[in-house]
Amino acid sequence: MADKVTYYAVVNDLSSRERPAGVFRRTYTEDGGRADEAFTRNLRWEYSTSLISAERGDLDNRFIEITEDEANQIVESIRARVTGA
């Protein structure tokens, strides 16, 4: 069970907070663990190391903390683009 989930908009030179390149979530578990996932074009949350890479100095993308509602809006936008709906 997750204790806390933090969401991030992915922003790079070709995107913005209003139109992010993607969305990530970091889930902290009760036992002290954490898991990082990106919402992908496969239309599901999948493991990713990109957030850890950014924390270690990879500056290709910026990760801006956002609310769960904002993350849900980005997810729906990705779904619409991928499915054409």
Side-chain angles (χ1 to χ4, degrees):
M1 172 158 225
D3 274 345
K4 178 183 175 188
V5 179
T6 306
Y7 295 92
Y8 300 89
V10 181
V11 178
N12 58 31
D13 291 340
L14 303 175
S15 64
S16 66
R17 181 184 174 123
E18 294 74 29
R19 295 183 60 89
V23 64
F24 271 72
R25 70 181 177 191
R26 174 170 277 171
T27 304
Y28 297 91
T29 59
E30 291 177 357
D31 63 1
R34 71 178 185 199
D36 292 340
E37 300 170 298
F39 191 78
T40 69
R41 292 190 166 277
N42 294 329
L43 303 180
R44 63 180 176 246
W45 291 98
E46 297 181 344
Y47 173 76
S48 175
T49 60
S50 295
L51 186 54
I52 293 170
S53 294
E55 290 171 339
R56 293 182 178 166
D58 179 355
L59 303 177
D60 288 341
N61 296 304
R62 291 186 317 274
F63 291 81
I64 301 169
E65 190 171 334
I66 58 174
T67 66
E68 183 176 6
D69 287 339
E70 289 173 303
N72 289 335
Q73 290 172 6
I74 297 167
V75 165
E76 289 310 311
S77 174
I78 292 169
R79 280 186 202 283
R81 275 184 285 176
V82 170
T83 63

